[in-house]
Amino acid sequence: MEANKRRKVAPWPTLLKPVEEPGKGDGLGGLFDGLPAAEDHGVAAAPKSQAVPQVKKPVTTIRCLHILKKHTKSRRPTSWRERVITRTVEEATYQVKEFRKHVAAKATPKEQQAEFERLARKESDCGSAREGGSLGRFHRGQMQKPFEDAAFALEVNEMSHVVMTDSGVHIILRVE
């Protein structure tokens, strides 16, 4: 039976003893054995500062919360909260600035979002107040231009300053 057993032999020659010259391969008879190392020719790895910068993908859709305060000069000076809006532009702006201060005082983005939603449900003149001011996901071209520009300029968890549109005075919190 032992006469029928074959010994496994590599199809290429291998060296079992190390190469005498230091710095020349790993000494095991591999493919690169006997070749100089890359460092020997002055080739070094590229410095990390020259790494290829990652390109940000353009944002096509975002999700925002907003609080709207309408005023007498709004496109439609009526809301689900008040049949006839009687506040001036200045009063609406002041109220929105106060809401912004209140939300910004919260420590974490999660607390800020929760407070923003609470205020939107209680104070916003928009129908989205029922959903905590959420407008859902939207693309460019779906909102009034000043609102869209402000919303798309925000980073995630960033809150806008006062934004004026034909609908009224807004603050926006981008959540996605």
Side-chain angles (χ1 to χ4, degrees), residues 80-145:
W80 66 275
R81 295 181 63 243
E82 299 175 67
R83 190 169 181 87
V84 177
I85 304 288
T86 57
R87 82 180 61 82
T88 65
V89 175
E90 293 79 18
E91 290 170 332
T93 303
Y94 176 78
Q95 288 177 341
V96 169
K97 284 181 179 179
E98 290 300 309
F99 298 151
R100 188 181 191 289
K101 284 181 197 173
H102 193 70
V103 172
K106 299 299 177 184
T108 66
K110 193 172 186 175
E111 289 173 350
Q112 288 178 347
Q113 183 175 340
E115 183 61 18
F116 197 100
E117 289 173 355
R118 186 189 73 73
L119 277 172
R121 282 185 179 92
K122 184 179 174 192
E123 301 289 343
S124 183
D125 289 326
C126 182
S128 68
R130 292 175 189 87
E131 289 84 40
S134 177
L135 296 169
R137 296 185 68 77
F138 59 90
H139 302 276
R140 286 195 177 273
Q142 290 184 279
M143 302 292 172
Q144 293 177 40
K145 187 73 170 144

Side-chain angles (χ1 to χ4, degrees), residues 49-66:
S49 63
Q50 292 181 358
V52 178
Q54 291 204 354
V55 178
K56 281 180 130 180
K57 291 182 181 178
V59 177
T60 56
T61 62
I62 59 174
R63 190 167 83 81
C64 293
L65 309 176
H66 83 126

Side-chain angles (χ1 to χ4, degrees), residues 2 21 27 37 44 51 65 67-68 71 92 103 105 114 134 136 140 142 174:
E2 285 189 38
E21 245 181 288
L65 309 176
I67 296 173
L68 167 67
H71 49 77
V103 172
S134 177
R140 286 195 177 273
Q142 290 184 279
R174 181 172 166 197

